[in-house]
Amino acid sequence: MAEQVFHHPDIYRIDVPLTGNPLKNLNSYVIKDQGESMVIDTGFRNEECLKVLMKGLQELGISPERTNLFVTHLHSDHIGLAQYFDYPDTKIYMGQRESYYFRKLLYGKVREERARLYVAEGYPKEKYYESDHRNPARIFMPNQEFFVTEITDGARIRIGNVEVTALEMPGHTPGLMCCYLEKEKVMFTTDHVLFDITPNITNWLGMEEPLGCYLKNLDRILEYEVLHTFPAHRNLSDKTLQQRVEEIKRHHRIRLEEIRKGKGEVIREERETDRGIQHFYILK
Ligand SMILES: [Zn+2]
């Protein structure tokens, strides 16, 4: 179901379920103005997500043949269904840097590079591939090419009378982009700032110090005047963007301090999950 979350311009949220995944849902947003529209992020490439997203769009009188799509980053829960929006009269926007990494991911190159890194640090090769095969990021990613309109930091996109500025905020991924409506002071934070959970940071070849980069961009997002924040997962929050950024920064300071002091103890736990017994390594 499409729920209106903002007026002037009309912004809707389609709550796309990510069944069996700890993220629980993906908030797909739709900006609609003067008969034009743009969807922000899609959900996984699976039957359930496709059904819910298309039903939500239908309720809003939008067909994928006539709407633009903005993919904030390459993770499957955001880009999974992008191929269903590839039509001659539509555009699929994506950051240039992110698009480069996405193509590497699509052709299996990131997996090979990651495997080499893991193995070099002592992780058993077979285990890496075993868990990779079960990884929803891999299973639910797009399975065919689609045409991308690549954009860079600061690019402006018009939907009717609405102006959206794309802001590159690397950290969670190498070229993640947030969408900003300057006039309305609306920020779509995607996975850069989440409210109920903390965005994960992983390493990418060619990206130096992802955590440092992430923290720098947490500061950068506060340079914009924001009154309404729309994150990509879970619930919308009454907290301000500034409050949440401070909380996330504090969280990282505490964790880094624990590691620096060597007090952290890594504990291996077996947990029953929807995908069977999984092993978790937890820093206590
Ligand atoms: Zn993500």
Side-chain angles (χ1 to χ4, degrees):
M1 202 184 80
E3 166 204 5
Q4 185 151 14
V5 290
F6 196 82
H7 295 267
H8 312 298
D10 293 336
I11 300 175
Y12 301 87
R13 169 171 77 146
I14 302 172
D15 187 348
V16 182
L18 305 176
T19 304
N21 190 288
L23 290 166
K24 296 196 168 130
N25 84 315
L26 179 277
N27 297 321
S28 174
Y29 294 101
V30 183
I31 304 172
K32 221 180 147 191
D33 195 61
Q34 308 287 312
E36 292 180 20
S37 60
M38 183 168 83
V39 177
I40 303 176
D41 292 337
T42 69
F44 284 139
R45 184 184 53 80
N46 66 24
E47 279 305 313
E48 188 183 26
C49 292
L50 181 66
K51 209 171 122 191
V52 172
L53 181 65
M54 292 304 158
K55 188 169 175 286
L57 292 179
Q58 200 182 22
E59 281 173 29
L60 299 173
I62 292 171
S63 79
E65 289 94 335
R66 282 190 296 279
T67 186
N68 293 329
L69 171 70
F70 190 104
V71 175
T72 61
H73 65 291
L74 53 71
H75 284 151
S76 301
D77 47 329
H78 299 257
I79 200 173
L81 297 168
Q83 66 205 50
Y84 294 91
F85 290 80
D86 188 10
Y87 289 96
D89 296 330
T90 62
K91 280 189 175 147
I92 300 174
Y93 296 104
M94 195 174 178
Q96 195 179 57
R97 193 171 160 77
E98 196 71 356
S99 172
Y100 163 78
Y101 273 88
F102 170 66
R103 260 141 246 290
K104 278 180 79 169
L105 200 66
L106 195 61
Y107 299 122
K109 291 211 166 125
V110 171
R111 201 160 57 247
E112 285 163 31
E113 288 173 358
R114 281 239 174 94
R116 273 201 296 279
L117 270 179
Y118 275 57
V119 172
E121 298 201 7
Y123 194 79
K125 195 176 182 174
E126 23 345 307
K127 282 208 162 177
Y128 174 82
Y129 282 109
E130 194 189 296
S131 57
D132 185 61
H133 280 299
R134 290 196 310 260
N135 190 345
R138 188 169 124 76
I139 301 167
F140 300 131
M141 70 189 293
N143 63 352
Q144 66 183 56
E145 278 275 3
F146 49 88
F147 188 79
V148 167
T149 300
E150 293 184 349
I151 50 174
T152 50
D153 186 37
R156 284 162 198 258
I157 299 164
R158 286 202 81 85
I159 308 133
N161 291 325
V162 184
E163 188 173 74
V164 178
T165 307
L167 300 173
E168 197 177 57
M169 300 276 172
H172 177 65
T173 58
L176 172 144
M177 279 190 160
C178 297
C179 289
Y180 182 50
L181 274 54
E182 189 181 355
K183 199 172 127 221
E184 295 82 4
K185 300 180 176 52
V186 165
M187 185 72 84
F188 295 92
T189 55
T190 182
D191 286 2
H192 185 47
V193 179
L194 297 168
F195 285 82
D196 291 2
I197 46 176
T198 335
N200 70 339
I201 313 296
T202 49
N203 62 346
W204 295 85
L205 261 145
M207 188 183 180
E208 284 206 7
E209 215 199 316
L211 181 58
C213 184
Y214 175 68
L215 293 171
K216 206 171 81 193
N217 282 308
L218 278 182
D219 285 333
R220 188 186 163 214
I221 202 166
L222 295 182
E223 290 170 12
Y224 297 87
E225 205 182 334
V226 175
L227 291 178
H228 312 277
T229 310
F230 295 112
H233 298 288
R234 308 278 185 99
N235 299 313
L236 308 186
S237 173
D238 292 334
K239 279 181 198 161
T240 65
L241 181 60
Q242 172 132 18
Q243 283 169 334
R244 185 55 185 153
V245 163
E246 291 308 326
E247 279 178 5
I248 296 174
K249 282 167 69 179
R250 200 177 319 124
H251 161 81
H252 281 293
R253 268 200 306 275
I254 293 167
R255 297 306 256 173
L256 285 169
E257 193 58 19
E258 282 172 355
I259 294 166
R260 200 182 63 80
K261 285 183 178 161
K263 281 190 178 162
E265 190 188 346
V266 178
I267 292 170
R268 186 173 183 265
E269 266 185 25
E270 257 188 18
R271 286 189 204 165
E272 183 84 44
T273 73
D274 297 346
R275 287 180 282 141
I277 300 278
Q278 301 250 311
H279 294 112
F280 290 84
Y281 294 87
I282 299 151
L283 181 72
K284 296 258 183 188

